[in-house]
Amino acid sequence: MGDGAGLLLAQDEVVGLASELIRIDTTNTGDPATVVGERAAAEWVAEKLAEVGYETTYVESGAKGRGNVVARLAGADRSRGALLVHGHLDVVPADPSEWSVHPFSGAVQDGYVWGRGAVDMKDMVAMSLAVARRFKRDGIVPPRDIVFAFLADEEAGGFFGAKWLVENRPELFEGVTEAISEVGGFSITLKDDARAYLVETAEKGIRWLTLRVRGTAGHGSMIHRDNAVAKLAEAVTKLGNHQFPLVVRPSVREFLDGVTEITGWDFPEEDLEGAVGKLGALSRMIGATLRDTANPTMLSAGYKANVIPSVAQATVDCRILPGREEAFDRELAELLGPDVEREWVGLPPVETTFDGALVDAMAASITAEDPGARVLPYMLSGGTDSKSFQQLGIRNFGFAPLKLPADLDFSGLFHGVDERVPVDALKFGVRVLERFLRNS
């Protein structure tokens, strides 16, 4: 097939691939009893790869149905470090009663592909799959090995996906030195319709913290000075009202400096959070990268109205800036005191620099499709599977390219109602991704 015809086919099929993927329910509640599992989607991906000639590895972590698929495309220079392109197959739950369309319909209408996972992240999975198929079908040899990985369980920390594979099947990623994945490469429209594309170079760390307070059990009708519920409520209120110090990491500073160059907007240190509000909907994401956060999300205590329990506990979602882990722990200990027990599971922050040949290739592939656009680094307030892959010494970036309408609240679509991705953005992403992978 001719080069142009092959690219057109990849652009045409990406919409159908995204729609089909969305129709496969891969809901991840985080509770093993209610998780749907990724097996059907993983087997579907493996079939799409196999039909154009890939040899695939299907792996389950030991938890039934938590399927992962990995395939490698040999490059021209096999002595170079390989590039990992990874995406997760699971999605967060969705309530159909809240949506304009059924969240697992994969509807293609009004210029969008609709459904849970449309932006997080079956869009990038479909783009990666379309380009992977295009390369194999048309005999395109990239400059170096490309490892394509389609993974389970990212929405609950990757413990049955990326994290498990890194710890148990690291040979699948042998030779990989750099990686790209989600929540980067998308456009934002700034002053006078100037566009910038944000490449994720850093992520806050995740810590799911359990606070536990013990007291004296007894009858609810009596006087009690050692009430676990009351002590926990005091600790949670104190933590919920606490403001951690403002810290501007290099990725955030580079982003803000880039926005200043494009728009002329100032971001003074003395009112940085107020100035970030100029970014509109994006200010929620950028604002969350200026400080550590610790947001109480769940409370649990007691079993009967007239029984004072001996134990009460809370769950707190903590997000920690790179380099702040030890300081965060000290601050938490000082704030809560010795009587509040703390247990946690989590994943570390991620941070790399915005430079090098890979970054140059990202910028070139974007500007070839959108001349005059700027490419800027930024920090993600959430987390991705990059946290696991950095354990293998892999340098991680968020680069899932999408050219978005100026009025689309993209960050609000993540885990939101009526999640959707523009059809034109998917086709744009295929063109950019193909150019990038052919020149990186």
Side-chain angles (χ1 to χ4, degrees):
M1 184 177 295
D3 205 46
L7 179 55
L8 282 173
L9 178 57
Q11 290 182 75
D12 288 343
E13 76 172 5
V14 70
V15 176
L17 292 172
S19 177
E20 285 186 65
L21 271 167
I22 290 167
R23 291 200 294 271
I24 303 173
D25 184 352
T26 52
T27 298
N28 186 355
T29 61
D31 177 1
T34 54
V35 163
V36 173
E38 296 86 354
R39 175 184 288 171
E43 291 177 342
W44 180 87
V45 166
E47 180 183 336
K48 293 296 181 184
L49 291 170
E51 72 182 18
V52 293
Y54 281 94
E55 292 185 10
T56 63
T57 301
Y58 177 90
V59 182
E60 290 191 5
S61 63
K64 188 176 180 182
R66 311 308 301 272
N68 302 271
V69 174
V70 181
R72 185 180 290 255
L73 179 63
D77 183 356
R78 307 212 68 186
S79 67
R80 284 186 61 192
L83 176 67
L84 171 64
V85 180
H86 62 95
H88 64 86
L89 298 171
D90 60 323
V91 298
V92 296
D95 181 353
S97 69
E98 299 178 332
W99 285 58
S100 301
V101 302
H102 194 283
F104 296 105
S105 66
V108 182
Q109 61 187 50
D110 304 322
Y112 287 83
V113 181
W114 297 68
R116 178 58 85 220
V119 300
D120 187 15
M121 63 171 294
K122 291 181 176 180
D123 57 343
M124 177 57 170
V125 169
M127 291 190 296
S128 302
L129 193 54
V131 173
R133 283 165 56 85
R134 142 77 160 160
F135 280 15
K136 197 71 168 180
R137 186 169 50 226
D138 296 340
I140 295 170
V141 179
R144 55 172 165 166
D145 282 13
I146 301 174
V147 177
F148 295 98
F150 304 91
L151 306 165
D153 197 39
E154 188 272 348
E155 295 292 0
F159 295 97
F160 299 109
K163 192 172 190 302
W164 189 91
L165 290 170
V166 163
E167 292 172 354
N168 295 275
R169 296 294 305 274
E171 74 280 1
L172 294 172
F173 311 102
E174 183 179 355
V176 171
T177 56
E178 297 169 305
I180 63 166
S181 189
E182 62 177 326
V183 206
F186 60 91
S187 69
I188 59 170
T189 302
L190 298 166
K191 187 177 180 181
D192 300 326
D193 294 328
R195 260 187 308 280
Y197 289 80
L198 306 189
V199 172
E200 185 224 294
T201 58
E203 298 179 2
K204 296 176 82 174
I206 298 173
R207 185 172 299 178
W208 290 306
L209 179 69
T210 298
L211 304 181
R212 189 173 295 107
V213 176
R214 302 184 187 277
T216 303
H219 199 288
S221 66
M222 305 292 183
I223 295 173
H224 285 267
R225 305 297 184 194
D226 188 31
N227 188 314
V229 174
K231 290 194 292 185
L232 178 70
E234 183 179 357
V236 168
T237 300
K238 189 182 294 185
L239 183 56
N241 291 333
H242 181 69
Q243 188 173 70
F244 291 89
L246 188 145
V247 178
V248 182
R249 297 295 301 176
S251 57
V252 177
R253 174 47 59 199
E254 285 186 67
F255 166 77
L256 295 175
D257 288 348
V259 173
T260 297
E261 289 179 20
I262 295 168
T263 65
W265 298 338
D266 290 327
F267 295 93
E269 293 284 341
E270 58 270 19
D271 185 27
L272 188 54
E273 287 170 306
V276 163
K278 299 171 187 175
L279 298 171
L282 192 67
S283 64
R284 296 194 303 271
M285 183 183 292
I286 301 302
T289 63
L290 301 177
R291 302 177 188 273
D292 300 332
T293 57
N295 289 312
T297 54
M298 292 191 291
L299 296 170
S300 175
Y303 55 88
K304 198 170 186 292
N306 63 349
V307 177
I308 295 173
S310 60
V311 179
Q313 68 179 39
T315 301
V316 184
D317 187 353
C318 305
R319 306 294 170 125
I320 307 166
L321 291 167
R324 274 277 304 171
E325 296 97 316
E326 291 183 8
F328 180 88
D329 286 342
R330 289 195 301 270
E331 204 164 331
L332 208 64
E334 292 171 6
L335 188 69
L336 298 175
D339 295 333
V340 180
E341 300 173 17
R342 300 182 298 279
E343 294 179 4
W344 58 272
V345 295
L347 295 163
V350 175
E351 190 169 38
T352 189
T353 52
F354 187 61
D355 55 18
L358 197 72
V359 169
D360 292 343
M362 290 177 193
S365 65
I366 289 285
T367 55
E369 291 293 332
D370 192 358
R374 287 285 301 276
V375 179
L376 302 176
Y378 89 108
M379 181 189 294
L380 179 66
S381 58
T384 72
D385 282 330
S386 296
K387 297 182 184 304
S388 294
F389 287 118
Q390 75 171 349
Q391 296 175 44
L392 296 177
I394 295 171
R395 189 181 184 209
N396 292 278
F397 296 90
F399 188 68
L402 297 170
K403 183 180 179 181
L404 300 170
D407 59 352
L408 182 68
D409 179 8
F410 185 62
S411 62
L413 294 176
F414 284 80
H415 299 188
V417 172
D418 284 345
E419 185 179 350
R420 61 198 183 277
V421 64
V423 167
D424 287 345
L426 286 172
K427 294 181 178 181
F428 171 89
V430 167
R431 296 194 300 273
V432 171
L433 197 59
E434 194 219 35
R435 182 176 282 106
F436 168 71
L437 293 178
R438 291 181 79 155
N439 295 281
S440 60

